[in-house]
Amino acid sequence: MELLTGSKSTGQVWIENHPSEGWAPGRVDSVEEGHYIVVDEAGQKFDVPHHEAQPVDPLCLQGADDLLSLGDFSEGTLLHNVRVRYFKDQIYTGIGG
């Protein structure tokens, strides 16, 4: 499936409605018929239907300082990017030059 392959693939998808994060990146542990089994950082497993799976942009995992440099503008990408920067005490995030 092209969601998990390609030069920018992290092998991760967004876990929507994560119990503590709202949106959280998760590593695809296995592919079942109709859904992925996805594991978050704490090791908790979630089912993500194939039709709802959104790939994780690798740049948001690092905390991009310019949101326009992100390859994706999904809700999960934007919220996680801001979360990463907040915990690095880099609270200012720009949009463009």
Side-chain angles (χ1 to χ4, degrees), residues 1 3-4 13 28-38 45-53:
M1 179 162 253
L3 179 69
L4 302 175
V13 296
V28 175
D29 189 50
S30 64
V31 180
E32 306 284 328
E33 186 171 334
H35 66 276
Y36 297 108
I37 304 297
V38 181
K45 292 187 176 188
F46 298 87
D47 286 337
V48 177
H50 286 173
H51 69 277
E52 293 179 10

Side-chain angles (χ1 to χ4, degrees), residues 4-65:
L4 302 175
T5 60
S7 62
K8 290 190 173 187
S9 174
T10 61
Q12 295 182 309
V13 296
W14 289 111
I15 302 168
E16 186 177 359
N17 299 318
H18 188 274
S20 63
E21 302 291 327
W23 287 82
R27 178 184 48 81
V28 175
D29 189 50
S30 64
V31 180
E32 306 284 328
E33 186 171 334
H35 66 276
Y36 297 108
I37 304 297
V38 181
V39 180
D40 68 4
E41 288 180 344
Q44 188 174 0
K45 292 187 176 188
F46 298 87
D47 286 337
V48 177
H50 286 173
H51 69 277
E52 293 179 10
Q54 298 176 42
V56 172
D57 185 310
L59 193 53
C60 84
L61 298 174
Q62 302 166 9
D65 61 347

Side-chain angles (χ1 to χ4, degrees), residues 60-77:
C60 84
L61 298 174
Q62 302 166 9
D65 61 347
D66 180 1
L67 294 178
L68 289 180
S69 67
L70 296 172
D72 178 32
F73 292 107
S74 70
E75 186 175 0
T77 299

